[in-house]
Amino acid sequence: AQSVTQLGSHVSVSEGALVLLRCNYSSSVPPYLFWYVQYPNQGLQLLLKYTTGATLVKGINGFEAEFKKSETSFHLTKPSAHMSDAAEYFCAVSEKGNNRLAFGKGNQVVVIP
Amino acid sequence: GAGVSQSPSNKVTEKGKDVELRCDPISGHTALYWYRQRLGQGLEFLIYFQGNSAPDKSGLPSDRFSAERTGESVSTLTIQRTQQEDSAVYLCASSFGGLAGGGNIQYFGAGTRLSVL
């Protein structure tokens, strides 16, 4: 069964600083990996996904993530944080043959001016 | 609208009452999912519908939970004899079912916040 680990429920970052959110997964087969963002009182919005091919994936709003099979990781980064990046971020995994998503517990990002 | 629509947005109920939550998926999406988000937790999978196939109910936490879907349209999640631990945000998502197992982008509604007193 697949599972996802996101450490640090709350992450504070200064405006203009690097955003780094860590995601590690376990999966018995090659995974599909996703990052979603949730703004207050809204549904989840897809930031980016990895299915096959290039391991560095670029998403919306300047975010990117790199799939590292040897480390079973899919960390999310953004070079320079904006105030508008304050939200909750979820890493998720699904497996071929199984459409359900398994989510991490999320990271609440606070951007400090 | 173009997105996944859920109603009601908020529901307050008394312990022991039944509740029904509704989800309108994006038109043309054959797959529909229900998830539960409890405070401080990630999303937990509840149930998945794909076209006319038998639904995957493996995430339903108890027999008090059930869900139905009419064709490829509206779905209702029913919780009978609600308990306080059922308090959560219930999120619905839909997707195209085209990719053979996995990789489909799921589009989420804003959720129904259920509070059981």
Side-chain angles (χ1 to χ4, degrees):
Chain A
Q2 65 263 39
S3 67
V4 176
T5 301
Q6 290 180 253
L7 296 178
S9 60
H10 286 76
V11 176
S12 293
V13 59
S14 297
E15 190 176 13
L18 172 72
V19 179
L20 170 59
L21 302 180
R22 299 180 186 276
C23 173
N24 289 88
Y25 68 90
S26 67
S27 175
S28 57
V29 298
Y32 301 113
L33 296 157
F34 305 80
W35 275 98
Y36 281 87
V37 60
Q38 187 178 31
Y39 297 102
N41 300 315
Q42 295 186 26
L44 277 70
Q45 178 183 357
L46 182 73
L47 277 176
L48 47 80
K49 73 169 188 175
Y50 169 80
T51 53
T52 60
T55 56
L56 182 62
V57 180
K58 294 187 183 299
I60 62 170
N61 301 340
F63 284 93
E64 63 182 36
E66 186 170 12
F67 169 56
K68 292 187 176 180
K69 184 178 178 181
S70 61
E71 298 177 7
T72 60
S73 70
F74 191 57
H75 301 333
L76 181 72
T77 60
K78 181 174 179 177
S80 176
H82 295 167
M83 296 302 294
S84 59
D85 295 326
E88 190 153 21
Y89 293 80
F90 293 95
C91 182
V93 61
S94 69
E95 295 177 342
K96 188 174 182 178
N98 184 346
N99 279 294
R100 77 176 78 165
L101 289 172
F103 284 86
K105 291 188 176 181
N107 295 119
Q108 184 68 52
V109 172
V110 175
V111 182
I112 302 167
Chain B
V4 176
S5 177
Q6 292 187 247
S7 61
S9 55
N10 283 282
K11 176 71 177 178
V12 180
T13 190
E14 293 180 349
K15 178 181 173 181
K17 300 282 189 183
D18 297 352
V19 295
E20 255 189 24
L21 313 179
R22 177 187 168 104
C23 173
D24 279 282
I26 293 172
S27 178
H29 281 186
T30 59
L32 187 147
Y33 315 76
W34 284 97
Y35 294 87
R36 177 171 70 176
Q37 184 178 23
R38 288 190 281 193
L39 190 64
Q41 303 294 316
L43 281 73
E44 303 169 71
F45 167 79
L46 296 177
I47 188 169
Y48 158 56
F49 296 89
Q50 171 59 61
N52 294 320
S53 302
D56 176 356
K57 303 180 181 181
S58 59
L60 294 178
S62 77
D63 59 8
R64 295 187 295 105
F65 287 72
S66 63
E68 294 184 348
R69 187 181 187 194
T70 307
E72 294 183 354
S73 61
V74 171
S75 175
T76 55
L77 176 70
T78 301
I79 308 173
Q80 295 178 308
R81 305 181 303 281
T82 51
Q83 304 295 312
Q84 288 182 334
E85 62 262 28
D86 299 334
S87 296
V89 177
Y90 290 82
L91 289 161
C92 175
S94 70
S95 74
F96 290 111
L99 291 179
N104 300 292
I105 296 173
Q106 296 183 22
Y107 296 85
F108 285 79
T112 294
R113 183 174 299 277
L114 175 65
S115 299
V116 182
L117 304 179

